[in-house]
Amino acid sequence: MTSHTLTPLLRKLESRALLNDDDRAAILALPYRRQLVEREAYFVREGERPERSCLLLSGFAFRQKLTSEGTRQIISLHIAGDFVDLQGVMLNLSDHNVQALTRCELAIVARSDIRELACAHPTVAMAMWTDTLIDASIFREWVLNVGRRDALTRVAHLLCEIARRMEAAGLADRLRYEMPMSQEQLADATGLTPVHVNRMLRDLDRSGLIVRTNRTITIKDWAGLSDVADFNENYLHLDQLATEAARMQEMSVCAAAPS
Amino acid sequence: MTSHTLTPLLRKLESRALLNDDDRAAILALPYRRQLVEREAYFVREGERPERSCLLLSGFAFRQKLTSEGTRQIISLHIAGDFVDLQGVMLNLSDHNVQALTRCELAIVARSDIRELACAHPTVAMAMWTDTLIDASIFREWVLNVGRRDALTRVAHLLCEIARRMEAAGLADRLRYEMPMSQEQLADATGLTPVHVNRMLRDLDRSGLIVRTNRTITIKDWAGLSDVADFNENYLHLDQLATEAARMQEMSVCAAAPS
DNA sequence: CGGACAGTTGATCCCGTTCAAGAAACGTGG
DNA sequence: CCACGTTTCTTGAACGGGATCAACTGTCCG
């Protein structure tokens, strides 16, 4: 049972709230369908009425919006274990696109099944709510990044975020990972042009903070890089569970009552 | 009972999900404390551990983050009826600041009371979840606005968003409202400088799309303005309730079972 | 080997910034 | 009600960070 397909989902939700055995069983009992999708495939399209949500079992994905002129802004990244498009469970119209960055394995779950789970298991609902709140926190940091930081800082910040999230997901070392994005995609994520992203990467390389070999990023000086990146990892809320456990004891609210 | 202080909260949540009488009673039974705060006052500070949430009874507020260099980015606006800082109910560390834009009346509710409400009333939990998802959708649009649109479009987009949200909240006509923000704040919301915001407003004025008298914005040509603004209101999810009701019928999930 | 795509570099341009100074609006106290 | 200081708005002039355009290199894959 430990190798159940939905184990990554269970892990994710357990990192968001304190679940009991009943909650765990209900999560693993979710009906799902496995699917493999190619690079560039759309999971969700703007304007659609979502009927299902996608759990990323492997690979990378990103959220994206287009202006009327056709320029693209990447809004966020998603890595294996992320429940992409959880907001489609409650919102009735999709306001952006979600696309595969690499080839992805998915577990597809019906929206109605997630709603039933949430209704029957309040703690699971709160774990999913928390997950979407962390997404929102990342969006806020990206508004700041794109709105008020210069080009070098923006690029460095994105490198730090990817490093830290991949480390937290157990996918790579913080100091060495393979960049899943092309420079054009980095540009769309930072609100820059591919040409200028290239120059900023070169500058980071020349100043000795990183080394690039093909798509592998090696961070030579984490403190130095996160300094030029103005990177403070609080917004990723990676320690949510630890602080949650501590605070539940203080408050003894919703304390794991068997449902 | 119709003039209960928390009626705006009830209205807000009823616009997010289909509540039953029991849910309504539980919302109005929330313990709260009224407070009046001055312009510039902080509701939440980055790095704090949130213990309470604020319902805006009157006035305007905004979310904000600072870079290490001290430049400010405004992340979103909030108007009377908004439950600011709902994300503080689940997240244990605040990742941004929330500040009063004008003098505000607040109803302050303890975090633990909201959690208890959410545990006991799944539909209310889902309404609050939905509310935070709509906030997140607005953040996404702002990433696009600040990342990929030119200055004129950014400013026009913000004018459209404020107009449409004030209209939806019943606070003003879509075509005429009093701008609650200074040009410096508009600049921090659009990722521009105050000087350039001023020029863009002048250009919108000269081209006949808007007229400004002091802080009053009169939109002379909504279609024209929303066209230069690249404004598509889907991201505000203003019709969430209507589409929700329609879809609940299709699916009959969580169908208002008396709790 | 060849064709497509990603990355790299240089030269030039322009949108938005910066700096500065004056005008209007606002709040406060007399 | 006006006088006065402060904040906000407005406009001009010069500058610069990043965009744009264009050419070349490297790499992957058939």
Side-chain angles (χ1 to χ4, degrees), chain B residues 111-239:
Chain B
R111 175 182 145 113
S112 53
D113 290 328
I114 298 176
R115 286 195 173 214
E116 278 172 16
L117 175 66
C119 281
H121 297 269
T123 311
V124 178
M126 287 164 91
M128 292 192 291
W129 182 13
T130 304
D131 194 65
T132 59
L133 288 172
I134 294 174
D135 275 3
S137 171
I138 297 175
F139 299 152
R140 288 192 287 268
E141 183 71 22
W142 281 44
V143 175
L144 174 64
N145 201 41
V146 154
R148 281 295 184 222
R149 293 206 261 244
D150 64 22
L152 188 70
T153 309
R154 284 187 217 181
V155 172
H157 194 276
L158 185 52
L159 293 185
C160 286
E161 178 177 318
I162 297 173
R164 200 60 192 81
R165 287 177 65 188
M166 286 182 77
E167 179 187 43
L171 292 174
D173 194 306
R174 181 198 306 208
L175 299 180
R176 188 190 195 85
Y177 62 91
E178 210 194 320
M179 167 58 65
M181 307 172 80
S182 70
Q183 291 182 7
E184 185 172 10
Q185 290 161 339
L186 288 172
D188 285 338
T190 50
L192 299 168
T193 53
V195 176
H196 207 59
V197 165
N198 181 284
R199 289 194 238 264
M200 296 300 100
L201 289 171
R202 167 172 61 71
D203 291 355
L204 290 171
D205 201 326
R206 282 189 185 159
S207 62
L209 295 172
I210 64 171
V211 171
R212 296 168 297 154
T213 47
N214 300 331
R215 290 261 184 108
T216 304
I217 303 285
T218 308
I219 299 173
K220 289 307 213 183
D221 177 2
W222 175 262
L225 184 65
S226 54
D227 196 46
V228 314
D230 192 17
F231 183 75
N232 175 338
E233 73 178 43
N234 282 349
Y235 76 96
L236 295 173
H237 296 279
L238 293 173
D239 59 348

Side-chain angles (χ1 to χ4, degrees), chain A residues 69-257:
Chain A
E69 291 187 332
T71 57
R72 179 175 71 169
Q73 176 69 43
I74 292 179
I75 311 291
S76 68
L77 291 182
H78 292 281
I79 67 186
D82 284 357
F83 210 153
V84 187
D85 194 34
L86 205 44
Q87 86 286 343
V89 173
M90 297 308 300
L91 299 181
N92 294 317
L93 199 66
S94 178
D95 53 78
H96 64 287
N97 304 294
V98 184
Q99 226 178 331
L101 185 54
T102 62
R103 172 183 289 215
C104 293
E105 280 182 289
L106 304 177
I108 297 177
V109 186
R111 171 181 148 112
S112 53
D113 290 328
I114 298 176
R115 285 194 173 214
E116 278 171 15
L117 175 65
C119 281
H121 298 268
T123 311
V124 178
M126 286 164 92
M128 292 193 291
W129 183 12
T130 304
D131 194 66
T132 58
L133 287 173
I134 293 174
D135 274 3
S137 171
I138 297 175
F139 298 152
R140 286 191 288 267
E141 183 70 22
W142 282 44
V143 174
L144 175 64
N145 201 40
V146 152
R148 282 291 183 226
R149 292 206 262 244
D150 64 23
L152 188 71
T153 309
R154 283 187 218 181
V155 172
H157 193 278
L158 186 51
L159 293 183
C160 287
E161 176 176 319
I162 297 174
R164 201 58 193 82
R165 287 177 65 187
M166 284 181 75
E167 180 187 41
L171 291 175
D173 194 306
R174 182 200 304 212
L175 300 179
R176 187 189 194 84
Y177 62 92
E178 210 193 320
M179 168 57 65
M181 306 172 82
S182 69
Q183 292 182 5
E184 184 172 10
Q185 289 161 340
L186 289 172
D188 285 337
T190 49
L192 300 167
T193 55
V195 175
H196 206 60
V197 165
N198 181 285
R199 289 194 239 262
M200 296 301 101
L201 288 172
R202 167 171 59 72
D203 291 355
L204 289 172
D205 201 325
R206 283 189 185 161
S207 62
L209 295 171
I210 65 171
V211 171
R212 297 168 298 153
T213 47
N214 300 332
R215 289 260 184 108
T216 304
I217 303 286
T218 307
I219 298 173
K220 290 305 210 184
D221 177 1
W222 175 262
L225 185 65
S226 54
D227 197 46
V228 312
D230 190 17
F231 183 75
N232 174 337
E233 75 180 41
N234 282 349
Y235 77 96
L236 295 172
H237 295 277
L238 294 172
D239 59 349
Q240 171 66 20
L241 186 65
T243 54
E244 179 68 11
R247 300 196 66 172
M248 289 305 265
Q249 289 191 323
E250 294 168 23
M251 306 196 302
S252 68
V253 165
C254 286

